[in-house]
Amino acid sequence: MLEVSRLSIGFRRPRGLWRREVVPALRDVSLRVRAGEVLAVIGASGAGKSLLAQAILGLLPPNAAMSGEMRFQGAPLDAPRLRGRRVALVPQSIAWLDPLVRAGRQVEWAAGRAGLPAPDRAPAAAAALARFGLGMAAARRFPHQLSGGMARRAMLAIAALGEAELLIADEPTNGLDPENAARVLGHLRARADAGRGVLVISHDLAAVLPLADRVAILREGALQETAPAAAFQGNGMALASPYARALWQALPEVGFLPAEAG
Amino acid sequence: MLVAQDLHHGGLLAGLSLALPPGQVVGLAGPSGAGKSTLGRLLAGHLAPARGTVRLDGAPLPAHGFCPVQLLPQAAELAVNPRWRVGRILEEAYTPGPAARRAFGIEDSWLRRYPHELSGGELQRVVILRSLAPGLRYLVADEISAMLDPLAQAALWHRLREYMAGQGLGILAISHNTALLRRLGRVVWRLEDGRLHHAAPEAAAGKIASLCAEVA
């Protein structure tokens, strides 16, 4: 469905008075998301996870320099035409919602982008919100009046309405209690089971392991390995890279070890 | 010993009592909105209880000056003055030496920056070191590692525990992650319906223990 080959991203910035330099942020990253699977991209803050999502959606800042190739359903990825329709993002922060527009109205806009005729948009929006446990009271609120968990679910409802083939979720469990996190992750899994592709970006290895099919480990802009989720078990000997093993062994459920063993 | 007795507050806490011994980590879990953060604020003196008392070694918390019970909030960026540079923030209560800064991985180049120029994890370490002033007896750590990757989380807690063992500090660790709380201390409470309950041990506890043995 989505194929990323040898993607590198750097940021141009001035150096001294005359010269410019490129600060590398993502180096030679290759990965693919298949229909019907959840691929998790895991890494520490600053590893380049969100940059990867921005590149796929064509939302990189203007001073970014990109090389490599991205293909979607066999054709070169045309982000501006696909995003919000065939490729959808569930963003990390409520800053992506319009602060001056009530939540329900923003879900109706999504129904419009999905191609629904005007009279059908309001009922479709209400149904999408109800699927995530949000009623009319929540729909009437402005984004800042929603709790973090409610806002996340409203953004999921927006992404779900589009029936996009590829869903990208950036840190979907941040700030959610286990019950709401399970609800959000359960929905993402259901989307994959319905034949769509799901890319989950997260720092929380323990939370995403139960729903992921494969896990890509990113460190300082470079892909360490892509392992099946089942490889994260026991003492992690099925994992190829020392960093992936260290991440696994640092989990409180496993070893709570603070550093990479030599 | 930090002792809270018969705390009532805003309909959230219904006669809650809790004792924190020095030199130990006590865990606190519970559903969202149960009042975990409110209890933390009461213990650190940020809020006064509607009824009940918080006493440190039998005396009420001081009303002025450095409070020996410090709260580490979830969002470090909301606990600092955005117009102060990191160096000034760090020295608000005392002057941590270069060795202490190194122990918490705080680089000298950060001191001239403003809070928004650090990542959430970096600023978190600044806020933690700021709280470790002489006279500190207890820390209330409210979801301080939820935004960290597993390695950074383990490193932060190992560092804090080392410091705790050296100083006889007591810690109340608030988190949704009960696996983490069980790693940190023997006692894990669950706040629900305004009262504390013993957190039920997970079914997977046996499996986890065997995994640890393999890893070690």
Side-chain angles (χ1 to χ4, degrees), chain A residues 129-134 153 156 176-189:
Chain A
L129 284 167
R131 255 163 76 193
F132 294 97
L134 296 174
R153 284 182 276 150
L156 260 171
L176 299 189
D177 61 279
E179 196 177 308
N180 276 314
R183 189 187 297 200
V184 166
L185 294 177
H187 172 76
L188 294 176
R189 182 69 249 176

mmCIF file of all heavy atoms in Angstrom, chain A residues 129-134 153 156 176-189:
data_model
loop_
_atom_site.group_PDB
_atom_site.id
_atom_site.type_symbol
_atom_site.label_atom_id
_atom_site.label_comp_id
_atom_site.label_asym_id
_atom_site.label_seq_id
_atom_site.Cartn_x
_atom_site.Cartn_y
_atom_site.Cartn_z
ATOM 1 N N LEU A 129 -19.123 10.547 15.812
ATOM 2 C CA LEU A 129 -18.794 10.924 17.190
ATOM 3 C C LEU A 129 -19.331 9.884 18.167
ATOM 4 O O LEU A 129 -18.662 9.516 19.139
ATOM 5 C CB LEU A 129 -19.372 12.305 17.506
ATOM 6 C CG LEU A 129 -18.602 13.477 16.899
ATOM 7 C CD1 LEU A 129 -19.400 14.763 16.987
ATOM 8 C CD2 LEU A 129 -17.261 13.642 17.609
ATOM 9 N N ALA A 130 -20.554 9.389 17.903
ATOM 10 C CA ALA A 130 -21.158 8.412 18.808
ATOM 11 C C ALA A 130 -20.331 7.131 18.856
ATOM 12 O O ALA A 130 -20.229 6.487 19.901
ATOM 13 C CB ALA A 130 -22.596 8.106 18.360
ATOM 14 N N ARG A 131 -19.702 6.779 17.709
ATOM 15 C CA ARG A 131 -18.879 5.567 17.678
ATOM 16 C C ARG A 131 -17.728 5.656 18.665
ATOM 17 O O ARG A 131 -17.186 4.649 19.101
ATOM 18 C CB ARG A 131 -18.305 5.366 16.281
ATOM 19 C CG ARG A 131 -19.006 4.269 15.520
ATOM 20 C CD ARG A 131 -18.721 4.375 14.044
ATOM 21 N NE ARG A 131 -17.399 3.905 13.672
ATOM 22 C CZ ARG A 131 -16.856 4.154 12.463
ATOM 23 N NH1 ARG A 131 -17.522 4.862 11.591
ATOM 24 N NH2 ARG A 131 -15.674 3.691 12.171
ATOM 25 N N PHE A 132 -17.311 6.887 18.986
ATOM 26 C CA PHE A 132 -16.208 7.058 19.933
ATOM 27 C C PHE A 132 -16.698 7.559 21.285
ATOM 28 O O PHE A 132 -15.944 8.158 22.048
ATOM 29 C CB PHE A 132 -15.167 8.015 19.345
ATOM 30 C CG PHE A 132 -14.502 7.441 18.146
ATOM 31 C CD1 PHE A 132 -14.930 7.767 16.881
ATOM 32 C CD2 PHE A 132 -13.483 6.527 18.290
ATOM 33 C CE1 PHE A 132 -14.340 7.212 15.765
ATOM 34 C CE2 PHE A 132 -12.882 5.959 17.184
ATOM 35 C CZ PHE A 132 -13.309 6.301 15.914
ATOM 36 N N GLY A 133 -17.984 7.338 21.550
ATOM 37 C CA GLY A 133 -18.518 7.663 22.863
ATOM 38 C C GLY A 133 -18.692 9.148 23.110
ATOM 39 O O GLY A 133 -18.701 9.595 24.252
ATOM 40 N N LEU A 134 -18.810 9.957 22.041
ATOM 41 C CA LEU A 134 -19.023 11.390 22.215
ATOM 42 C C LEU A 134 -20.447 11.744 21.782
ATOM 43 O O LEU A 134 -20.860 11.418 20.667
ATOM 44 C CB LEU A 134 -18.014 12.192 21.375
ATOM 45 C CG LEU A 134 -16.545 12.030 21.765
ATOM 46 C CD1 LEU A 134 -15.642 12.755 20.779
ATOM 47 C CD2 LEU A 134 -16.296 12.540 23.171
ATOM 48 N N ARG A 153 -10.458 11.627 20.612
ATOM 49 C CA ARG A 153 -11.520 10.819 20.004
ATOM 50 C C ARG A 153 -12.247 11.610 18.920
ATOM 51 O O ARG A 153 -12.661 11.041 17.905
ATOM 52 C CB ARG A 153 -12.484 10.328 21.082
ATOM 53 C CG ARG A 153 -11.882 9.171 21.882
ATOM 54 C CD ARG A 153 -12.818 8.630 22.919
ATOM 55 N NE ARG A 153 -12.772 9.398 24.152
ATOM 56 C CZ ARG A 153 -13.796 9.550 24.971
ATOM 57 N NH1 ARG A 153 -14.966 9.008 24.677
ATOM 58 N NH2 ARG A 153 -13.662 10.242 26.073
ATOM 59 N N LEU A 156 -10.136 11.325 15.944
ATOM 60 C CA LEU A 156 -10.295 9.987 15.367
ATOM 61 C C LEU A 156 -11.576 9.913 14.544
ATOM 62 O O LEU A 156 -11.611 9.306 13.471
ATOM 63 C CB LEU A 156 -10.360 8.940 16.480
ATOM 64 C CG LEU A 156 -9.091 8.168 16.760
ATOM 65 C CD1 LEU A 156 -9.263 7.340 18.007
ATOM 66 C CD2 LEU A 156 -8.726 7.270 15.584
ATOM 67 N N LEU A 176 -3.723 9.741 27.566
ATOM 68 C CA LEU A 176 -4.973 9.007 27.778
ATOM 69 C C LEU A 176 -4.780 7.996 28.898
ATOM 70 O O LEU A 176 -3.711 7.416 29.043
ATOM 71 C CB LEU A 176 -5.382 8.267 26.502
ATOM 72 C CG LEU A 176 -5.650 9.116 25.263
ATOM 73 C CD1 LEU A 176 -6.245 8.258 24.163
ATOM 74 C CD2 LEU A 176 -6.589 10.259 25.589
ATOM 75 N N ASP A 177 -5.845 7.765 29.695
ATOM 76 C CA ASP A 177 -5.762 6.712 30.695
ATOM 77 C C ASP A 177 -5.911 5.372 29.974
ATOM 78 O O ASP A 177 -6.327 5.318 28.826
ATOM 79 C CB ASP A 177 -6.824 6.922 31.773
ATOM 80 C CG ASP A 177 -8.207 6.870 31.208
ATOM 81 O OD1 ASP A 177 -8.655 7.891 30.660
ATOM 82 O OD2 ASP A 177 -8.838 5.815 31.274
ATOM 83 N N PRO A 178 -5.555 4.264 30.636
ATOM 84 C CA PRO A 178 -5.510 2.970 29.938
ATOM 85 C C PRO A 178 -6.826 2.617 29.230
ATOM 86 O O PRO A 178 -6.804 2.045 28.140
ATOM 87 C CB PRO A 178 -5.199 1.982 31.060
ATOM 88 C CG PRO A 178 -4.496 2.780 32.088
ATOM 89 C CD PRO A 178 -5.074 4.161 32.017
ATOM 90 N N GLU A 179 -7.953 2.989 29.845
ATOM 91 C CA GLU A 179 -9.238 2.614 29.256
ATOM 92 C C GLU A 179 -9.457 3.333 27.916
ATOM 93 O O GLU A 179 -9.812 2.713 26.909
ATOM 94 C CB GLU A 179 -10.346 2.991 30.230
ATOM 95 C CG GLU A 179 -11.672 2.338 29.937
ATOM 96 C CD GLU A 179 -12.682 2.732 31.006
ATOM 97 O OE1 GLU A 179 -12.353 2.570 32.199
ATOM 98 O OE2 GLU A 179 -13.751 3.228 30.640
ATOM 99 N N ASN A 180 -9.213 4.647 27.885
ATOM 100 C CA ASN A 180 -9.373 5.404 26.651
ATOM 101 C C ASN A 180 -8.308 5.031 25.626
ATOM 102 O O ASN A 180 -8.579 5.003 24.425
ATOM 103 C CB ASN A 180 -9.325 6.909 26.929
ATOM 104 C CG ASN A 180 -10.677 7.431 27.359
ATOM 105 O OD1 ASN A 180 -11.691 7.115 26.753
ATOM 106 N ND2 ASN A 180 -10.690 8.183 28.442
ATOM 107 N N ALA A 181 -7.083 4.738 26.109
ATOM 108 C CA ALA A 181 -6.027 4.326 25.191
ATOM 109 C C ALA A 181 -6.432 3.017 24.509
ATOM 110 O O ALA A 181 -6.272 2.864 23.301
ATOM 111 C CB ALA A 181 -4.708 4.153 25.956
ATOM 112 N N ALA A 182 -6.998 2.089 25.275
ATOM 113 C CA ALA A 182 -7.412 0.803 24.701
ATOM 114 C C ALA A 182 -8.513 1.008 23.670
ATOM 115 O O ALA A 182 -8.545 0.346 22.631
ATOM 116 C CB ALA A 182 -7.884 -0.132 25.809
ATOM 117 N N ARG A 183 -9.405 1.963 23.931
ATOM 118 C CA ARG A 183 -10.495 2.224 22.997
ATOM 119 C C ARG A 183 -9.951 2.757 21.662
ATOM 120 O O ARG A 183 -10.340 2.318 20.584
ATOM 121 C CB ARG A 183 -11.457 3.248 23.613
ATOM 122 C CG ARG A 183 -12.714 3.403 22.802
ATOM 123 C CD ARG A 183 -13.567 4.520 23.327
ATOM 124 N NE ARG A 183 -14.038 4.279 24.687
ATOM 125 C CZ ARG A 183 -15.102 4.910 25.199
ATOM 126 N NH1 ARG A 183 -15.777 5.750 24.469
ATOM 127 N NH2 ARG A 183 -15.457 4.702 26.431
ATOM 128 N N VAL A 184 -9.006 3.702 21.769
ATOM 129 C CA VAL A 184 -8.413 4.293 20.563
ATOM 130 C C VAL A 184 -7.627 3.235 19.777
ATOM 131 O O VAL A 184 -7.773 3.095 18.560
ATOM 132 C CB VAL A 184 -7.505 5.476 20.959
ATOM 133 C CG1 VAL A 184 -6.627 5.897 19.804
ATOM 134 C CG2 VAL A 184 -8.360 6.645 21.431
ATOM 135 N N LEU A 185 -6.806 2.466 20.493
ATOM 136 C CA LEU A 185 -5.984 1.463 19.812
ATOM 137 C C LEU A 185 -6.859 0.364 19.218
ATOM 138 O O LEU A 185 -6.583 -0.155 18.134
ATOM 139 C CB LEU A 185 -4.960 0.870 20.792
ATOM 140 C CG LEU A 185 -3.900 1.861 21.275
ATOM 141 C CD1 LEU A 185 -2.981 1.206 22.291
ATOM 142 C CD2 LEU A 185 -3.087 2.405 20.113
ATOM 143 N N GLY A 186 -7.933 0.009 19.938
ATOM 144 C CA GLY A 186 -8.859 -1.006 19.432
ATOM 145 C C GLY A 186 -9.478 -0.569 18.114
ATOM 146 O O GLY A 186 -9.640 -1.371 17.193
ATOM 147 N N HIS A 187 -9.790 0.730 18.011
ATOM 148 C CA HIS A 187 -10.357 1.232 16.766
ATOM 149 C C HIS A 187 -9.339 1.139 15.628
ATOM 150 O O HIS A 187 -9.671 0.739 14.515
ATOM 151 C CB HIS A 187 -10.814 2.679 16.918
ATOM 152 C CG HIS A 187 -11.215 3.278 15.614
ATOM 153 N ND1 HIS A 187 -12.408 2.968 15.006
ATOM 154 C CD2 HIS A 187 -10.557 4.086 14.762
ATOM 155 C CE1 HIS A 187 -12.476 3.595 13.845
ATOM 156 N NE2 HIS A 187 -11.368 4.283 13.673
ATOM 157 N N LEU A 188 -8.085 1.482 15.922
ATOM 158 C CA LEU A 188 -7.049 1.414 14.882
ATOM 159 C C LEU A 188 -6.883 -0.024 14.398
ATOM 160 O O LEU A 188 -6.763 -0.283 13.201
ATOM 161 C CB LEU A 188 -5.724 1.964 15.427
ATOM 162 C CG LEU A 188 -5.720 3.459 15.771
ATOM 163 C CD1 LEU A 188 -4.402 3.857 16.395
ATOM 164 C CD2 LEU A 188 -5.982 4.301 14.517
ATOM 165 N N ARG A 189 -6.895 -0.958 15.347
ATOM 166 C CA ARG A 189 -6.769 -2.374 14.974
ATOM 167 C C ARG A 189 -7.940 -2.796 14.078
ATOM 168 O O ARG A 189 -7.769 -3.507 13.097
ATOM 169 C CB ARG A 189 -6.722 -3.217 16.257
ATOM 170 C CG ARG A 189 -6.556 -4.707 16.088
ATOM 171 C CD ARG A 189 -5.181 -5.068 15.570
ATOM 172 N NE ARG A 189 -5.256 -5.577 14.212
ATOM 173 C CZ ARG A 189 -4.181 -5.906 13.487
ATOM 174 N NH1 ARG A 189 -2.972 -5.776 13.989
ATOM 175 N NH2 ARG A 189 -4.315 -6.349 12.275
#
